[in-house]
């Protein structure tokens, strides 16, 4: 039964990516979206390290996940960093929307089927939606520092 729960969790998390992109496209047209683009759940690097975000980043960079969003890459010195940041925000918010969507499904399954089903879904949801969002937040902080340095010292 746990394999079925895990399979369902993976499937619904992948579906949530599409749901997240759809709702993100709706939200991007609102004034509220600007405040969403500056979210920081975990600003502490030590805590990020403690929860294993470094290892998650390694997995993303060294597996098939690296091919998912090719717009989030600094290719050369002429790359427009503001465009990269915008794409990071889109990915971050889409994953957060997906996380909330799957959380509601996990709660429903916990009540209607059993708590193990909901916990299994949430386990997958954390790794396929929450961690990618946290990783984008960390990357945006690093990019913001780079953009600030570029403004302060000019392009080299």
């Amino acid at each position: 039964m746990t394999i079925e729960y895990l399979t369902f969790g993976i499937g619904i998390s992948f579906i949530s990516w599409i749901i997240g992109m759809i709702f993100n496209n709706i939200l991007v047209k609102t004034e509220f979206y600007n405040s969403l683009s500056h979210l920081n759940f975990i600003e502490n690097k030590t805590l990020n390290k403690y929860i294993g975000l470094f290892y998650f980043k390694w997995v993303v960079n060294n597996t098939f996940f690296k091919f998912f969003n090719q717009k989030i890459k600094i290719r050369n010195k002429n790359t427009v960093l503001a465009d990269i940041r915008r794409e990071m925000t889109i990915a971050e918010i889409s994953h957060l929307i997906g996380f909330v969507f799957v959380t509601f499904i996990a709660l429903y399954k916990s009540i209607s089927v059993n708590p193990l089903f909901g916990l299994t879904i949430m386990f997958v949801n954390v790794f396929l939606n929450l961690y990618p969002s946290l990783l984008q937040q960390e990357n945006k902080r690093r990019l913001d520092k780079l953009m600030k340095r570029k403004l302060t010292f000019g392009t080299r």
Side-chain angles (χ1 to χ4, degrees), residues 74-99:
I74 298 176
R75 302 201 189 289
N76 56 43
K77 289 182 180 181
N78 298 326
T79 302
V80 180
L81 298 179
D83 291 344
I84 300 285
R85 191 183 193 291
R86 186 175 41 27
E87 291 299 326
M88 286 177 170
T89 301
I90 290 169
E92 172 196 359
I93 303 299
S94 295
H95 279 292
L96 282 175
I97 293 168
F99 181 76

Side-chain angles (χ1 to χ4, degrees), residues 10-118:
I10 292 169
I12 201 67
S13 291
F14 277 109
I15 290 169
S16 76
W17 293 353
I18 296 166
I19 302 287
M21 287 187 279
I22 291 168
F23 280 96
N24 188 54
N25 282 334
I26 294 167
L27 272 177
V28 78
K29 296 173 177 99
T30 66
E31 289 182 30
F32 176 64
Y33 194 80
N34 188 42
S35 61
L36 286 177
S37 69
H38 298 288
L39 290 175
N40 271 316
F41 294 133
I42 303 174
E43 294 183 33
N44 188 326
K45 286 183 182 183
T46 306
L47 186 55
N48 277 337
K49 188 176 181 178
Y50 180 72
I51 65 170
L53 202 57
F54 172 79
Y55 299 110
F56 182 78
K57 184 178 183 176
W58 184 91
V59 169
V60 169
N61 286 331
N62 294 295
T63 64
F64 66 92
F65 287 110
K66 69 181 171 187
F67 300 111
F68 276 21
N69 196 343
Q70 293 295 305
K71 294 179 184 178
I72 304 177
K73 287 198 179 194
I74 298 176
R75 302 201 189 289
N76 56 43
K77 289 182 180 181
N78 298 326
T79 302
V80 180
L81 298 179
D83 291 344
I84 300 285
R85 191 183 193 291
R86 186 175 41 27
E87 291 299 326
M88 286 177 170
T89 301
I90 290 169
E92 172 196 359
I93 303 299
S94 295
H95 279 292
L96 282 175
I97 293 168
F99 181 76
V100 170
F101 171 76
V102 174
T103 299
F104 283 120
I105 291 173
L107 286 171
Y108 173 75
K109 291 294 185 181
S110 288
I111 295 166
S112 66
V113 180
N114 71 43
L116 180 60
F117 197 176

